[in-house]
């Protein structure tokens, strides 16, 4: 991911911004930057990666308690052994990163778990707070 020029910054409201602090868009490549530029920027409060070009993410909300997955999340995560997974900015969610074809995003409840799947037209925050070391494997 760090080799792709699909990086932005975001504000505390989750509004995407450019490395210079202007408005960014998940659908306008002219507002994206390299990883190095985004990492060095002080605009906003953190890094974001614009999905697409074969990279997608599964967002699990409110599934961690004291850093551990609840029962529903633990069952779900069994299907993602070997994937790179980060803790979300809130500290109680997870982002499962991987490869996938571009398709419409979905937001569903799978049992007690809120599961969002995205692969285009959105950005996802990148915290660097590793929950599970791994690779970008098929989602």
């Amino acid at each position: 991911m760090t080799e792709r020029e699909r990086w932005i910054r975001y504000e505390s409201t989750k509004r995407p911004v450019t490395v210079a602090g202007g408005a960014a868009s998940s659908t306008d490549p002219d507002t994206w930057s390299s990883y190095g530029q985004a990492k060095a920027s002080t605009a906003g409060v953190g890094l974001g990666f614009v999905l697409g070009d074969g990279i997608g993410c599964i967002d699990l909300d409110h599934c961690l308690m004291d850093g551990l997955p609840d029962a529903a999340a633990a069952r779900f995560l069994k299907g993602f052994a070997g994937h790179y997974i980060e803790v979300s900015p809130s500290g109680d969610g997870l982002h499962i990163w991987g490869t996938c074809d571009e398709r419409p995003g979905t937001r569903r409840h799978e049992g007690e778990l809120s599961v969002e799947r995205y692969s285009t037209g959105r950005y996802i925050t990148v915290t660097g707070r590793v929950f599970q070391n791994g690779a970008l494997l098929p989602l």
Side-chain angles (χ1 to χ4, degrees):
M1 289 173 35
T2 58
E3 301 300 317
R4 300 172 192 231
E5 292 205 5
R6 302 182 73 88
W7 293 88
I8 57 155
R9 303 282 301 178
Y10 69 92
E11 295 182 335
S12 59
T13 60
K14 293 191 179 178
R15 184 178 78 96
V17 294
T18 66
V19 296
S25 169
S26 60
T27 59
D28 183 359
D30 289 338
T31 64
W32 310 342
S33 298
S34 70
Y35 173 75
Q37 291 168 318
K39 181 81 170 158
S41 173
T42 58
V45 297
L47 291 169
F49 183 83
V50 178
L51 301 174
D53 194 25
I55 303 292
C57 188
I58 299 173
D59 184 6
L60 305 179
D61 290 331
H62 313 296
C63 67
L64 294 179
M65 294 175 42
D66 298 320
L68 299 174
D70 62 26
R75 284 189 300 275
F76 186 84
L77 291 171
K78 286 181 183 178
F80 296 93
H83 281 77
Y84 178 70
I85 304 174
E86 285 190 343
V87 177
S88 67
S90 68
D92 69 355
L94 294 172
H95 295 160
I96 305 169
W97 293 91
T99 60
C100 66
D101 293 332
E102 292 184 5
R103 56 185 174 248
T106 61
R107 180 181 293 178
R108 296 190 176 103
H109 275 84
E110 296 186 19
E112 302 166 17
L113 189 62
S114 173
V115 179
E116 299 174 45
R117 298 172 190 265
Y118 301 110
S119 61
T120 187
R122 294 186 68 103
Y123 85 91
I124 300 288
T125 58
V126 178
T127 64
R129 294 173 53 198
V130 177
F131 177 80
Q132 175 178 288
N133 270 318
L136 294 177
L137 301 173
L139 293 175

